Amino acid sequence: MEVITDSLNRIEGVSMWSLFLQADLLIKAVLIGLLAASVWSWAVVVQKHTELRRLHILANDFEEMFWSGHPLEKLYKPLTQGESHPMAMLFVVGMREWKRVQNVDVGWSAVDKHLEKSLSIALAKETDPLQKRLLSLATIGATAPFVGLFGTVWGIMNSFQAIATSSDTSLAVVAPGIAEALFATALGLFVAIPAVVFYNRFNERVGEYVARLELFCDEFTGIIFYENAER
């Protein structure tokens, strides 16, 4: 009983920092890699949240102007200058292509196909950047637990080596290696869980935004159709 109590007293108050300092070089590399992955994933989370929030706000403002009843030409000219957001860029592309073909003697079906193709290409160009860095969240979420598990296995191996070297199975001998092993596992899960959660959430938000852009393209094409029919 006294041996167990003495062993517990020796490992009492062990901090994560002390576990890191006591770990061998390989486990330190695993822990540093997991921490770097965590920092990167949270940076991506903040950047994507800010970007998507900004795009939705700009889309709300643009749709309010678009449906305000002002002539499309009046909206088109200011948007041709300077940098803009995806919905406005789709409008600019659609208007530019419409202005190019409206005086050409072709049927509406040919004009409609041309507009749809132009808007489809523009939509792909505008939405592809939204997927950037999301793959890194998926990669971190998928690999971090296994990296932590690798550190766990290595820490347990160190514990068995310590037992074999000292011929002592006391808690004080086994505990440091087991603690390092569990620390690596916990850190891997700590990194992976938020990455997976936010990856799924951002995928959903990007899908909602892309659907919103697709709906706008359909609405824009419909407006052009009615204007063409009136002529």
Side-chain angles (χ1 to χ4, degrees):
M1 185 68 180
E2 292 180 359
V3 173
I4 296 176
T5 304
D6 181 61
S7 299
L8 290 172
N9 289 334
R10 290 172 62 183
I11 65 172
E12 185 180 9
V14 174
S15 64
M16 289 186 291
W17 177 245
S18 64
L19 289 176
F20 175 79
L21 294 178
Q22 294 170 11
D24 66 12
L25 187 60
L26 183 59
I27 295 182
K28 284 180 179 177
V30 168
L31 297 176
I32 290 173
L34 289 173
L35 286 173
S38 179
V39 171
W40 173 257
S41 65
W42 281 107
V44 172
V45 167
V46 172
Q47 187 267 331
K48 280 297 172 185
H49 173 74
T50 304
E51 179 186 16
L52 292 172
R53 183 173 180 273
R54 169 182 165 273
L55 289 178
H56 277 289
I57 291 174
L58 291 173
N60 289 337
D61 294 340
F62 178 78
E63 285 185 327
E64 185 177 348
M65 290 189 299
F66 183 78
W67 295 109
S68 63
H70 296 297
L72 297 183
E73 188 69 29
K74 185 177 180 181
L75 296 177
Y76 171 68
K77 289 183 179 180
L79 293 174
T80 56
Q81 303 174 354
E83 187 176 349
S84 191
H85 54 96
M87 185 173 286
M89 291 305 299
L90 288 174
F91 172 73
V92 169
V93 170
M95 285 294 295
R96 183 172 62 241
E97 296 304 317
W98 165 240
K99 291 168 72 70
R100 286 176 55 187
V101 301
Q102 63 179 335
N103 295 322
V104 179
D105 188 17
V106 294
W108 167 251
S109 60
V111 174
D112 183 46
K113 289 181 180 178
H114 181 76
L115 275 177
E116 285 185 358
K117 185 176 181 180
S118 299
L119 289 172
S120 177
I121 294 172
L123 179 65
K125 289 182 179 179
E126 293 296 328
T127 56
D128 279 350
L130 297 178
Q131 297 291 340
K132 284 184 177 180
R133 299 182 181 175
L134 284 185
L135 184 59
S136 63
L137 288 181
T139 302
I140 290 172
T143 59
F146 294 103
V147 175
L149 181 60
F150 173 74
T152 296
V153 174
W154 193 263
I156 292 174
M157 290 172 58
N158 287 341
S159 296
F160 283 123
Q161 288 176 354
I163 292 173
T165 301
S166 62
S167 299
D168 186 1
T169 60
S170 66
L171 187 61
V173 173
V174 178
I178 299 297
E180 293 169 10
L182 296 177
F183 182 39
T185 301
L187 186 57
L189 293 174
F190 174 79
V191 174
I193 292 173
V196 172
V197 170
F198 282 107
Y199 171 75
N200 292 330
R201 175 55 181 154
F202 287 140
N203 254 346
E204 181 183 1
R205 291 182 64 187
V206 169
E208 291 173 353
Y209 185 70
V210 172
R212 187 176 183 180
L213 294 179
E214 291 174 345
L215 178 61
F216 172 77
C217 290
D218 293 338
E219 292 171 340
F220 175 79
T221 306
I223 290 175
I224 295 298
F225 171 77
Y226 286 117
E227 286 193 357
N228 183 73
E230 290 176 357
R231 294 180 180 180

